[in-house]
Amino acid sequence: MTGLEHAQKYWYPVAMLGELNDGQTKNTQLLGTEISVCGSNEESVTVSSAGQLLAVQCQYDHVWTTFSDDPYPLFAIPEAEEPGRRFVPCGVVRVSCSPLRAVENFLDIAHFPFVHTGVLGAEPHTEVYKYDVQIDEKHDEVFATNIRFFQPQASKSAEGSIETEYIYRVPAPMAAILYKTCPPKPEAMDVITLFVQPIDEETCDVWPWMALYDDTSTMADLIQFQQLIFVQDRSILENQLPRKLPIDPGHEIPTKADLTSIAYRRWLKKRGAYYGALEKI
Amino acid sequence: MTTEPIGLAQDLAPKGVMRAQIGHADMAIWRSTSGVISAWENRCPHRGMRLSHGFVRGESLACAYHGWHYDCDAKCHYIPAHPELEPPSTIRPAIYSVVEKAGIIWVNTAGTATPAELPDRLLGLRTITMQCDLSTAAHAIASAAQTNAALFNGSVNDINSDQTILSLANPNGTDGICILFQQPLAQSTVIHVLAHDSYSQNELIAISRWCESVRREAERIMQSSNKVEPAK
Ligand code: FES
Ligand SMILES: [Fe+2]
C-alpha cells in the first residue's frame, strides 16, 4: 500500500460548519485531489470529487470526508459530549509544510519559550522535565502524559503565570488532541485539538478546535488567542528543511524532550503512514 | 564547485544573520558579536529549522525553534530544554568554507574558499537580486554600459574566464565598477556591485540608480523571452 492509499483510509476536516452557506460551493483540495463542499448544515452538506459523492459526517463543528468505502472510524473525543464546555472552532490556517510536520510541531513543548515567547513559555523557564509516552494499544494511539511546563499566559482564562500540565493524544496520523490545565476549573482539563486537512504532501490547512471551560472570554478573543499561536507556529513550519517529515532516524537529532515526536514518527512508520513523510534520504 | 561571492561584508554587521543560496545549497551566514563570520548549511540538525532565522547571542548562533546554541566552530554547546546536559559533540550543522576579501563574503560549499583576484581600491556598493538567468543579466549590463557615457566609457572586461566577474571602465578609461555574479537558482541572479573609491557620492548614487534600471531591463527581457517559449 502506498502512503497515499494509506492516507485515503482516514476521515479529514474540509470545512467548518459555520462557514458554509446555502447555494454556495466551497472548492478545496484533499490529498492532492480537487473536492467541492456544498450545503450549509448537517442535513444538507455534501462533498464530491469529480462528480462522485464522498462519504460525509459532521463532528466537532467541522465537515469530515473520506475517499474510502471502508475508512477507519473517526476518532472519539468524549469531552465533546460534556455539558458546560464551550466549543470553539478557530477557523483555518494554510501552512506550506507537510501535514505531519504540523502535527509534530503541535506535540512539541520545547519551542514555547522561543516561538510563543511571553505566552506559552518564557526564558529562563526552558527546561522540559521528564514525561511519559506510551502507545495506547487498545485505541492504537500515541499517548503522552505527565508533561509540566511553566507558562506566562497559558490561555485566555489564565491570570498570570502557572505551571501547566499537558496530556497529548495522537488518534490519527493527521490529528492531535491536547488536554491542558484549565485555569478556572482545576479539576478539569481544557481540550485543544489540531485537525489537519492534507492539501498535498507539502501543504496543509490546519483547523484548530477547542472545548473549554471558560464562561467569560468572548468567542472572538478565544479565536484570536489561538490564531496568534498558530501564526507563530507557521513561521517555523514554513522554514523547516526538508518540507516532508524525515521518518527514519538519523536525518535529525532528537533529545529526551522529543519523546513524543520520536514515538509519533515510529508509530507513523509502523502503520505505513508515509503521506507527507520523507522515507529515504 | 567554485568559490562564490554571496554578499557584501558591510551588509553583515556583528550579530547579523543572513541567508544565501548557491544552486541547491541553502545556507546561513552569520557574524558573532566579536566579528567572526561563519557559513553553514541552513538546517538545524535538531528539527531542520532554517538557521538563517536564528539570532546571535555573543559568540553563538541560537536556533529560532528550540534555541539550541552553536558556537563559531558549529558545535552545539547548549540545549535549553536540558540546561544541565553537555550536548554530544556530534550535533553540528554542515559547515562551509568562508572568507572575506575585498569587501566581499566568499563561500565554497565543496572545498576551501579561494576568492577571485579583483582590482584594487574597490568598495562595496550594493547587492541586487534579478529575476532572470545569469547570461540575460550579463547582456543587459553590457549593453547598458555602452549607452551611459556619463558613467562608463563603454568598455566591458571579463575579469575571470567563466565571465562571472565584469569590470566596467569609467569615462577616463580607468577602473570604474566591478560586478560579481552569483547564481542562486536557474531563474534568478544576484549581482554584487563594487565601485572605485574615486567616485563621488553623487556618482555613486547615479551608479546605484543605473543598477536598478539594468535590473528592470534584464527582467523585462527575461519575461518576454519566457513568453515566447511555449510556442516552440
Ligand atoms: S530545530 Fe533548531 S533547535 Fe530545534
Ligand atoms: Fe507552537
PDB file of all heavy atoms in Angstrom, chain A residues 105 108 111 114 123 126 128 239-241 252-253 255 257-258 261 265, chain B residues 42-43 45-50 53 57 64-66 68 80-83:
ATOM      1  N   ASN A 105       4.792  19.529  15.314  1.00  0.00           N
ATOM      2  CA  ASN A 105       5.010  20.808  15.991  1.00  0.00           C
ATOM      3  C   ASN A 105       4.006  21.011  17.129  1.00  0.00           C
ATOM      4  O   ASN A 105       4.338  21.546  18.186  1.00  0.00           O
ATOM      5  CB  ASN A 105       4.906  21.950  14.979  1.00  0.00           C
ATOM      6  CG  ASN A 105       4.889  23.311  15.642  1.00  0.00           C
ATOM      7  OD1 ASN A 105       5.890  23.762  16.169  1.00  0.00           O
ATOM      8  ND2 ASN A 105       3.732  23.963  15.636  1.00  0.00           N
ATOM      9  N   ASP A 108       5.024  19.441  20.351  1.00  0.00           N
ATOM     10  CA  ASP A 108       6.323  19.883  20.850  1.00  0.00           C
ATOM     11  C   ASP A 108       6.130  20.992  21.882  1.00  0.00           C
ATOM     12  O   ASP A 108       5.432  21.968  21.615  1.00  0.00           O
ATOM     13  CB  ASP A 108       7.125  20.407  19.651  1.00  0.00           C
ATOM     14  CG  ASP A 108       8.500  20.887  20.016  1.00  0.00           C
ATOM     15  OD1 ASP A 108       8.643  22.073  20.382  1.00  0.00           O
ATOM     16  OD2 ASP A 108       9.437  20.081  19.956  1.00  0.00           O
ATOM     17  N   HIS A 111       9.572  24.303  22.229  1.00  0.00           N
ATOM     18  CA  HIS A 111       9.692  25.555  21.464  1.00  0.00           C
ATOM     19  C   HIS A 111       8.930  26.716  22.097  1.00  0.00           C
ATOM     20  O   HIS A 111       9.069  27.854  21.677  1.00  0.00           O
ATOM     21  CB  HIS A 111       9.214  25.343  20.018  1.00  0.00           C
ATOM     22  CG  HIS A 111       7.724  25.211  19.841  1.00  0.00           C
ATOM     23  ND1 HIS A 111       7.031  24.042  20.079  1.00  0.00           N
ATOM     24  CD2 HIS A 111       6.782  26.107  19.444  1.00  0.00           C
ATOM     25  CE1 HIS A 111       5.742  24.222  19.822  1.00  0.00           C
ATOM     26  NE2 HIS A 111       5.551  25.474  19.441  1.00  0.00           N
ATOM     27  N   PHE A 114      10.588  30.084  22.866  1.00  0.00           N
ATOM     28  CA  PHE A 114      11.255  30.758  21.752  1.00  0.00           C
ATOM     29  C   PHE A 114      10.272  31.215  20.685  1.00  0.00           C
ATOM     30  O   PHE A 114      10.457  32.260  20.068  1.00  0.00           O
ATOM     31  CB  PHE A 114      12.314  29.822  21.144  1.00  0.00           C
ATOM     32  CG  PHE A 114      13.298  29.385  22.186  1.00  0.00           C
ATOM     33  CD1 PHE A 114      13.171  28.164  22.837  1.00  0.00           C
ATOM     34  CD2 PHE A 114      14.304  30.252  22.596  1.00  0.00           C
ATOM     35  CE1 PHE A 114      14.038  27.795  23.853  1.00  0.00           C
ATOM     36  CE2 PHE A 114      15.179  29.902  23.614  1.00  0.00           C
ATOM     37  CZ  PHE A 114      15.038  28.671  24.243  1.00  0.00           C
ATOM     38  N   GLU A 123      11.878  32.433  28.648  1.00  0.00           N
ATOM     39  CA  GLU A 123      13.173  32.181  29.262  1.00  0.00           C
ATOM     40  C   GLU A 123      13.179  32.856  30.626  1.00  0.00           C
ATOM     41  O   GLU A 123      12.524  33.884  30.791  1.00  0.00           O
ATOM     42  CB  GLU A 123      14.287  32.740  28.373  1.00  0.00           C
ATOM     43  CG  GLU A 123      14.420  31.957  27.065  1.00  0.00           C
ATOM     44  CD  GLU A 123      15.571  32.467  26.207  1.00  0.00           C
ATOM     45  OE1 GLU A 123      16.698  32.005  26.417  1.00  0.00           O
ATOM     46  OE2 GLU A 123      15.315  33.339  25.359  1.00  0.00           O
ATOM     47  N   THR A 126      13.048  27.141  30.466  1.00  0.00           N
ATOM     48  CA  THR A 126      13.112  26.411  29.203  1.00  0.00           C
ATOM     49  C   THR A 126      13.189  24.899  29.398  1.00  0.00           C
ATOM     50  O   THR A 126      13.050  24.155  28.432  1.00  0.00           O
ATOM     51  CB  THR A 126      14.354  26.847  28.408  1.00  0.00           C
ATOM     52  OG1 THR A 126      15.510  26.634  29.236  1.00  0.00           O
ATOM     53  CG2 THR A 126      14.274  28.303  28.013  1.00  0.00           C
ATOM     54  N   VAL A 128      12.572  21.098  29.893  1.00  0.00           N
ATOM     55  CA  VAL A 128      11.485  20.136  29.695  1.00  0.00           C
ATOM     56  C   VAL A 128      11.740  18.978  30.656  1.00  0.00           C
ATOM     57  O   VAL A 128      12.725  18.257  30.526  1.00  0.00           O
ATOM     58  CB  VAL A 128      11.428  19.642  28.235  1.00  0.00           C
ATOM     59  CG1 VAL A 128      10.381  18.541  28.078  1.00  0.00           C
ATOM     60  CG2 VAL A 128      11.129  20.802  27.293  1.00  0.00           C
ATOM     61  N   ASN A 239       9.660  27.006   7.415  1.00  0.00           N
ATOM     62  CA  ASN A 239      11.115  27.131   7.276  1.00  0.00           C
ATOM     63  C   ASN A 239      11.858  25.898   7.748  1.00  0.00           C
ATOM     64  O   ASN A 239      13.047  25.972   8.036  1.00  0.00           O
ATOM     65  CB  ASN A 239      11.608  28.370   8.023  1.00  0.00           C
ATOM     66  CG  ASN A 239      11.295  29.630   7.243  1.00  0.00           C
ATOM     67  OD1 ASN A 239      11.890  29.858   6.192  1.00  0.00           O
ATOM     68  ND2 ASN A 239      10.346  30.412   7.724  1.00  0.00           N
ATOM     69  N   GLN A 240      11.174  24.778   7.836  1.00  0.00           N
ATOM     70  CA  GLN A 240      11.864  23.541   8.179  1.00  0.00           C
ATOM     71  C   GLN A 240      12.274  22.839   6.891  1.00  0.00           C
ATOM     72  O   GLN A 240      11.499  22.779   5.936  1.00  0.00           O
ATOM     73  CB  GLN A 240      10.954  22.628   9.006  1.00  0.00           C
ATOM     74  CG  GLN A 240      10.927  22.993  10.480  1.00  0.00           C
ATOM     75  CD  GLN A 240       9.943  22.120  11.247  1.00  0.00           C
ATOM     76  OE1 GLN A 240       8.752  22.328  11.172  1.00  0.00           O
ATOM     77  NE2 GLN A 240      10.452  21.143  11.965  1.00  0.00           N
ATOM     78  N   LEU A 241      13.478  22.312   6.894  1.00  0.00           N
ATOM     79  CA  LEU A 241      14.005  21.598   5.733  1.00  0.00           C
ATOM     80  C   LEU A 241      14.362  20.175   6.133  1.00  0.00           C
ATOM     81  O   LEU A 241      14.999  20.000   7.167  1.00  0.00           O
ATOM     82  CB  LEU A 241      15.262  22.295   5.202  1.00  0.00           C
ATOM     83  CG  LEU A 241      15.084  23.728   4.692  1.00  0.00           C
ATOM     84  CD1 LEU A 241      16.440  24.353   4.375  1.00  0.00           C
ATOM     85  CD2 LEU A 241      14.214  23.729   3.437  1.00  0.00           C
ATOM     86  N   GLU A 252      17.630  13.651  11.528  1.00  0.00           N
ATOM     87  CA  GLU A 252      17.529  14.730  12.505  1.00  0.00           C
ATOM     88  C   GLU A 252      17.871  14.153  13.875  1.00  0.00           C
ATOM     89  O   GLU A 252      17.712  12.957  14.103  1.00  0.00           O
ATOM     90  CB  GLU A 252      16.107  15.323  12.501  1.00  0.00           C
ATOM     91  CG  GLU A 252      15.784  16.025  11.183  1.00  0.00           C
ATOM     92  CD  GLU A 252      14.399  16.668  11.113  1.00  0.00           C
ATOM     93  OE1 GLU A 252      13.518  16.308  11.921  1.00  0.00           O
ATOM     94  OE2 GLU A 252      14.208  17.515  10.246  1.00  0.00           O
ATOM     95  N   ILE A 253      18.329  15.021  14.786  1.00  0.00           N
ATOM     96  CA  ILE A 253      18.821  14.538  16.078  1.00  0.00           C
ATOM     97  C   ILE A 253      17.895  14.978  17.208  1.00  0.00           C
ATOM     98  O   ILE A 253      17.850  16.156  17.553  1.00  0.00           O
ATOM     99  CB  ILE A 253      20.244  15.089  16.354  1.00  0.00           C
ATOM    100  CG1 ILE A 253      21.189  14.721  15.203  1.00  0.00           C
ATOM    101  CG2 ILE A 253      20.772  14.538  17.680  1.00  0.00           C
ATOM    102  CD1 ILE A 253      22.572  15.350  15.321  1.00  0.00           C
ATOM    103  N   THR A 255      16.325  14.864  21.277  1.00  0.00           N
ATOM    104  CA  THR A 255      16.787  14.656  22.643  1.00  0.00           C
ATOM    105  C   THR A 255      15.605  14.128  23.464  1.00  0.00           C
ATOM    106  O   THR A 255      14.518  13.933  22.936  1.00  0.00           O
ATOM    107  CB  THR A 255      17.287  15.961  23.290  1.00  0.00           C
ATOM    108  OG1 THR A 255      16.170  16.825  23.459  1.00  0.00           O
ATOM    109  CG2 THR A 255      18.346  16.633  22.462  1.00  0.00           C
ATOM    110  N   ALA A 257      13.600  15.570  25.341  1.00  0.00           N
ATOM    111  CA  ALA A 257      12.406  16.413  25.258  1.00  0.00           C
ATOM    112  C   ALA A 257      11.527  16.029  24.071  1.00  0.00           C
ATOM    113  O   ALA A 257      10.362  16.417  24.009  1.00  0.00           O
ATOM    114  CB  ALA A 257      12.811  17.879  25.143  1.00  0.00           C
ATOM    115  N   ASP A 258      12.082  15.283  23.125  1.00  0.00           N
ATOM    116  CA  ASP A 258      11.359  14.940  21.897  1.00  0.00           C
ATOM    117  C   ASP A 258      10.739  13.545  21.938  1.00  0.00           C
ATOM    118  O   ASP A 258      10.432  12.973  20.888  1.00  0.00           O
ATOM    119  CB  ASP A 258      12.313  15.020  20.695  1.00  0.00           C
ATOM    120  CG  ASP A 258      12.930  16.393  20.554  1.00  0.00           C
ATOM    121  OD1 ASP A 258      12.169  17.369  20.523  1.00  0.00           O
ATOM    122  OD2 ASP A 258      14.169  16.499  20.508  1.00  0.00           O
ATOM    123  N   SER A 261       7.630  13.175  19.852  1.00  0.00           N
ATOM    124  CA  SER A 261       7.923  13.212  18.423  1.00  0.00           C
ATOM    125  C   SER A 261       8.554  11.899  17.952  1.00  0.00           C
ATOM    126  O   SER A 261       8.216  11.383  16.882  1.00  0.00           O
ATOM    127  CB  SER A 261       8.821  14.423  18.140  1.00  0.00           C
ATOM    128  OG  SER A 261       9.821  14.138  17.217  1.00  0.00           O
ATOM    129  N   ARG A 265       6.818   9.482  15.152  1.00  0.00           N
ATOM    130  CA  ARG A 265       7.454   9.049  13.902  1.00  0.00           C
ATOM    131  C   ARG A 265       7.472   7.527  13.785  1.00  0.00           C
ATOM    132  O   ARG A 265       7.213   6.974  12.711  1.00  0.00           O
ATOM    133  CB  ARG A 265       8.885   9.609  13.809  1.00  0.00           C
ATOM    134  CG  ARG A 265       8.914  11.123  13.631  1.00  0.00           C
ATOM    135  CD  ARG A 265      10.330  11.644  13.422  1.00  0.00           C
ATOM    136  NE  ARG A 265      10.349  13.109  13.385  1.00  0.00           N
ATOM    137  CZ  ARG A 265      11.361  13.845  12.923  1.00  0.00           C
ATOM    138  NH1 ARG A 265      12.454  13.254  12.488  1.00  0.00           N
ATOM    139  NH2 ARG A 265      11.292  15.160  12.928  1.00  0.00           N
TER     140      ARG A 265
ATOM    141  N   ASN B  42      21.873  25.563   5.873  1.00  0.00           N
ATOM    142  CA  ASN B  42      20.779  26.294   6.523  1.00  0.00           C
ATOM    143  C   ASN B  42      19.743  25.343   7.129  1.00  0.00           C
ATOM    144  O   ASN B  42      18.555  25.439   6.835  1.00  0.00           O
ATOM    145  CB  ASN B  42      20.117  27.227   5.501  1.00  0.00           C
ATOM    146  CG  ASN B  42      19.385  28.369   6.171  1.00  0.00           C
ATOM    147  OD1 ASN B  42      19.419  28.501   7.404  1.00  0.00           O
ATOM    148  ND2 ASN B  42      18.726  29.191   5.381  1.00  0.00           N
ATOM    149  N   ARG B  43      20.203  24.443   7.971  1.00  0.00           N
ATOM    150  CA  ARG B  43      19.289  23.428   8.509  1.00  0.00           C
ATOM    151  C   ARG B  43      19.800  23.018   9.875  1.00  0.00           C
ATOM    152  O   ARG B  43      20.886  22.469  10.006  1.00  0.00           O
ATOM    153  CB  ARG B  43      19.279  22.220   7.576  1.00  0.00           C
ATOM    154  CG  ARG B  43      18.248  21.176   7.891  1.00  0.00           C
ATOM    155  CD  ARG B  43      18.251  20.071   6.840  1.00  0.00           C
ATOM    156  NE  ARG B  43      19.428  19.223   6.908  1.00  0.00           N
ATOM    157  CZ  ARG B  43      19.574  18.225   7.775  1.00  0.00           C
ATOM    158  NH1 ARG B  43      18.623  17.922   8.621  1.00  0.00           N
ATOM    159  NH2 ARG B  43      20.676  17.520   7.792  1.00  0.00           N
ATOM    160  N   PRO B  45      20.368  20.753  12.906  1.00  0.00           N
ATOM    161  CA  PRO B  45      20.368  19.282  12.973  1.00  0.00           C
ATOM    162  C   PRO B  45      19.233  18.728  13.835  1.00  0.00           C
ATOM    163  O   PRO B  45      18.887  17.564  13.701  1.00  0.00           O
ATOM    164  CB  PRO B  45      21.718  18.944  13.606  1.00  0.00           C
ATOM    165  CG  PRO B  45      22.549  20.171  13.472  1.00  0.00           C
ATOM    166  CD  PRO B  45      21.602  21.337  13.419  1.00  0.00           C
ATOM    167  N   HIS B  46      18.648  19.553  14.693  1.00  0.00           N
ATOM    168  CA  HIS B  46      17.607  19.054  15.588  1.00  0.00           C
ATOM    169  C   HIS B  46      16.314  18.725  14.842  1.00  0.00           C
ATOM    170  O   HIS B  46      15.937  17.565  14.713  1.00  0.00           O
ATOM    171  CB  HIS B  46      17.357  20.083  16.700  1.00  0.00           C
ATOM    172  CG  HIS B  46      16.255  19.697  17.629  1.00  0.00           C
ATOM    173  ND1 HIS B  46      15.359  20.615  18.129  1.00  0.00           N
ATOM    174  CD2 HIS B  46      15.888  18.503  18.136  1.00  0.00           C
ATOM    175  CE1 HIS B  46      14.503  19.981  18.921  1.00  0.00           C
ATOM    176  NE2 HIS B  46      14.800  18.703  18.942  1.00  0.00           N
ATOM    177  N   ARG B  47      15.632  19.747  14.326  1.00  0.00           N
ATOM    178  CA  ARG B  47      14.377  19.524  13.629  1.00  0.00           C
ATOM    179  C   ARG B  47      14.302  20.310  12.323  1.00  0.00           C
ATOM    180  O   ARG B  47      13.211  20.647  11.845  1.00  0.00           O
ATOM    181  CB  ARG B  47      13.186  19.874  14.548  1.00  0.00           C
ATOM    182  CG  ARG B  47      12.913  18.810  15.630  1.00  0.00           C
ATOM    183  CD  ARG B  47      12.493  17.494  15.003  1.00  0.00           C
ATOM    184  NE  ARG B  47      12.201  16.401  15.887  1.00  0.00           N
ATOM    185  CZ  ARG B  47      12.932  15.269  15.963  1.00  0.00           C
ATOM    186  NH1 ARG B  47      14.045  15.138  15.272  1.00  0.00           N
ATOM    187  NH2 ARG B  47      12.538  14.279  16.744  1.00  0.00           N
ATOM    188  N   GLY B  48      15.470  20.597  11.732  1.00  0.00           N
ATOM    189  CA  GLY B  48      15.512  21.111  10.367  1.00  0.00           C
ATOM    190  C   GLY B  48      15.199  22.580  10.163  1.00  0.00           C
ATOM    191  O   GLY B  48      15.076  23.044   9.034  1.00  0.00           O
ATOM    192  N   MET B  49      15.061  23.343  11.250  1.00  0.00           N
ATOM    193  CA  MET B  49      14.730  24.774  11.100  1.00  0.00           C
ATOM    194  C   MET B  49      15.867  25.502  10.375  1.00  0.00           C
ATOM    195  O   MET B  49      17.030  25.234  10.610  1.00  0.00           O
ATOM    196  CB  MET B  49      14.521  25.386  12.494  1.00  0.00           C
ATOM    197  CG  MET B  49      14.158  26.855  12.485  1.00  0.00           C
ATOM    198  SD  MET B  49      12.563  27.183  11.688  1.00  0.00           S
ATOM    199  CE  MET B  49      12.641  28.968  11.532  1.00  0.00           C
ATOM    200  N   ARG B  50      15.476  26.439   9.497  1.00  0.00           N
ATOM    201  CA  ARG B  50      16.496  27.251   8.824  1.00  0.00           C
ATOM    202  C   ARG B  50      17.257  28.080   9.854  1.00  0.00           C
ATOM    203  O   ARG B  50      16.658  28.892  10.572  1.00  0.00           O
ATOM    204  CB  ARG B  50      15.858  28.200   7.801  1.00  0.00           C
ATOM    205  CG  ARG B  50      15.479  27.520   6.514  1.00  0.00           C
ATOM    206  CD  ARG B  50      15.337  28.542   5.364  1.00  0.00           C
ATOM    207  NE  ARG B  50      15.100  27.839   4.116  1.00  0.00           N
ATOM    208  CZ  ARG B  50      13.885  27.645   3.593  1.00  0.00           C
ATOM    209  NH1 ARG B  50      12.827  28.127   4.191  1.00  0.00           N
ATOM    210  NH2 ARG B  50      13.750  26.980   2.467  1.00  0.00           N
ATOM    211  N   HIS B  53      17.114  31.991  10.347  1.00  0.00           N
ATOM    212  CA  HIS B  53      16.111  32.659  11.182  1.00  0.00           C
ATOM    213  C   HIS B  53      16.574  32.779  12.632  1.00  0.00           C
ATOM    214  O   HIS B  53      15.851  33.302  13.476  1.00  0.00           O
ATOM    215  CB  HIS B  53      14.780  31.903  11.137  1.00  0.00           C
ATOM    216  CG  HIS B  53      14.065  32.066   9.834  1.00  0.00           C
ATOM    217  ND1 HIS B  53      12.927  32.814   9.704  1.00  0.00           N
ATOM    218  CD2 HIS B  53      14.361  31.596   8.602  1.00  0.00           C
ATOM    219  CE1 HIS B  53      12.536  32.797   8.426  1.00  0.00           C
ATOM    220  NE2 HIS B  53      13.389  32.061   7.745  1.00  0.00           N
ATOM    221  N   ARG B  57      23.793  35.339  19.883  1.00  0.00           N
ATOM    222  CA  ARG B  57      23.977  35.689  21.285  1.00  0.00           C
ATOM    223  C   ARG B  57      25.454  35.546  21.592  1.00  0.00           C
ATOM    224  O   ARG B  57      25.960  34.427  21.646  1.00  0.00           O
ATOM    225  CB  ARG B  57      23.155  34.775  22.183  1.00  0.00           C
ATOM    226  CG  ARG B  57      21.679  35.076  22.079  1.00  0.00           C
ATOM    227  CD  ARG B  57      20.923  34.629  23.305  1.00  0.00           C
ATOM    228  NE  ARG B  57      19.540  35.069  23.220  1.00  0.00           N
ATOM    229  CZ  ARG B  57      18.576  34.597  23.998  1.00  0.00           C
ATOM    230  NH1 ARG B  57      18.844  33.681  24.907  1.00  0.00           N
ATOM    231  NH2 ARG B  57      17.352  35.042  23.878  1.00  0.00           N
ATOM    232  N   ALA B  64      16.062  29.468  15.987  1.00  0.00           N
ATOM    233  CA  ALA B  64      14.795  30.138  16.315  1.00  0.00           C
ATOM    234  C   ALA B  64      13.739  29.183  16.870  1.00  0.00           C
ATOM    235  O   ALA B  64      12.788  29.627  17.497  1.00  0.00           O
ATOM    236  CB  ALA B  64      14.242  30.821  15.065  1.00  0.00           C
ATOM    237  N   TYR B  65      13.902  27.878  16.663  1.00  0.00           N
ATOM    238  CA  TYR B  65      12.818  26.954  17.027  1.00  0.00           C
ATOM    239  C   TYR B  65      12.897  26.528  18.498  1.00  0.00           C
ATOM    240  O   TYR B  65      11.970  26.759  19.268  1.00  0.00           O
ATOM    241  CB  TYR B  65      12.858  25.746  16.079  1.00  0.00           C
ATOM    242  CG  TYR B  65      11.609  24.888  16.031  1.00  0.00           C
ATOM    243  CD1 TYR B  65      11.541  23.804  15.161  1.00  0.00           C
ATOM    244  CD2 TYR B  65      10.487  25.156  16.816  1.00  0.00           C
ATOM    245  CE1 TYR B  65      10.405  23.003  15.079  1.00  0.00           C
ATOM    246  CE2 TYR B  65       9.346  24.351  16.740  1.00  0.00           C
ATOM    247  CZ  TYR B  65       9.310  23.271  15.879  1.00  0.00           C
ATOM    248  OH  TYR B  65       8.198  22.472  15.798  1.00  0.00           O
ATOM    249  N   HIS B  66      14.024  25.923  18.897  1.00  0.00           N
ATOM    250  CA  HIS B  66      14.148  25.476  20.286  1.00  0.00           C
ATOM    251  C   HIS B  66      15.354  26.088  20.982  1.00  0.00           C
ATOM    252  O   HIS B  66      15.752  25.640  22.055  1.00  0.00           O
ATOM    253  CB  HIS B  66      14.254  23.948  20.363  1.00  0.00           C
ATOM    254  CG  HIS B  66      13.154  23.234  19.645  1.00  0.00           C
ATOM    255  ND1 HIS B  66      13.294  22.783  18.340  1.00  0.00           N
ATOM    256  CD2 HIS B  66      11.886  22.908  20.026  1.00  0.00           C
ATOM    257  CE1 HIS B  66      12.158  22.196  17.959  1.00  0.00           C
ATOM    258  NE2 HIS B  66      11.283  22.271  18.947  1.00  0.00           N
ATOM    259  N   TRP B  68      18.592  25.997  20.467  1.00  0.00           N
ATOM    260  CA  TRP B  68      19.899  25.339  20.616  1.00  0.00           C
ATOM    261  C   TRP B  68      20.991  26.322  20.210  1.00  0.00           C
ATOM    262  O   TRP B  68      20.853  27.034  19.207  1.00  0.00           O
ATOM    263  CB  TRP B  68      19.987  24.079  19.748  1.00  0.00           C
ATOM    264  CG  TRP B  68      19.105  22.954  20.217  1.00  0.00           C
ATOM    265  CD1 TRP B  68      18.023  23.055  21.041  1.00  0.00           C
ATOM    266  CD2 TRP B  68      19.222  21.571  19.862  1.00  0.00           C
ATOM    267  NE1 TRP B  68      17.451  21.810  21.220  1.00  0.00           N
ATOM    268  CE2 TRP B  68      18.169  20.883  20.520  1.00  0.00           C
ATOM    269  CE3 TRP B  68      20.099  20.832  19.055  1.00  0.00           C
ATOM    270  CZ2 TRP B  68      17.988  19.499  20.390  1.00  0.00           C
ATOM    271  CZ3 TRP B  68      19.914  19.463  18.931  1.00  0.00           C
ATOM    272  CH2 TRP B  68      18.872  18.801  19.600  1.00  0.00           C
ATOM    273  N   PRO B  80      18.505  24.368  25.553  1.00  0.00           N
ATOM    274  CA  PRO B  80      17.708  24.965  26.635  1.00  0.00           C
ATOM    275  C   PRO B  80      16.735  23.999  27.310  1.00  0.00           C
ATOM    276  O   PRO B  80      16.466  24.146  28.508  1.00  0.00           O
ATOM    277  CB  PRO B  80      16.953  26.102  25.936  1.00  0.00           C
ATOM    278  CG  PRO B  80      17.810  26.461  24.774  1.00  0.00           C
ATOM    279  CD  PRO B  80      18.417  25.172  24.306  1.00  0.00           C
ATOM    280  N   ALA B  81      16.221  23.002  26.567  1.00  0.00           N
ATOM    281  CA  ALA B  81      15.290  22.054  27.181  1.00  0.00           C
ATOM    282  C   ALA B  81      15.978  21.191  28.236  1.00  0.00           C
ATOM    283  O   ALA B  81      15.323  20.613  29.099  1.00  0.00           O
ATOM    284  CB  ALA B  81      14.654  21.165  26.111  1.00  0.00           C
ATOM    285  N   HIS B  82      17.303  21.093  28.143  1.00  0.00           N
ATOM    286  CA  HIS B  82      18.087  20.302  29.113  1.00  0.00           C
ATOM    287  C   HIS B  82      19.299  21.122  29.550  1.00  0.00           C
ATOM    288  O   HIS B  82      20.414  20.871  29.099  1.00  0.00           O
ATOM    289  CB  HIS B  82      18.541  18.984  28.478  1.00  0.00           C
ATOM    290  CG  HIS B  82      17.422  18.202  27.876  1.00  0.00           C
ATOM    291  ND1 HIS B  82      16.385  17.691  28.624  1.00  0.00           N
ATOM    292  CD2 HIS B  82      17.142  17.873  26.581  1.00  0.00           C
ATOM    293  CE1 HIS B  82      15.528  17.068  27.819  1.00  0.00           C
ATOM    294  NE2 HIS B  82      15.963  17.176  26.584  1.00  0.00           N
ATOM    295  N   PRO B  83      19.068  22.110  30.397  1.00  0.00           N
ATOM    296  CA  PRO B  83      20.142  23.054  30.716  1.00  0.00           C
ATOM    297  C   PRO B  83      21.394  22.384  31.314  1.00  0.00           C
ATOM    298  O   PRO B  83      22.490  22.908  31.165  1.00  0.00           O
ATOM    299  CB  PRO B  83      19.504  23.994  31.751  1.00  0.00           C
ATOM    300  CG  PRO B  83      18.032  23.805  31.596  1.00  0.00           C
ATOM    301  CD  PRO B  83      17.825  22.415  31.100  1.00  0.00           C
TER     302      PRO B  83
END
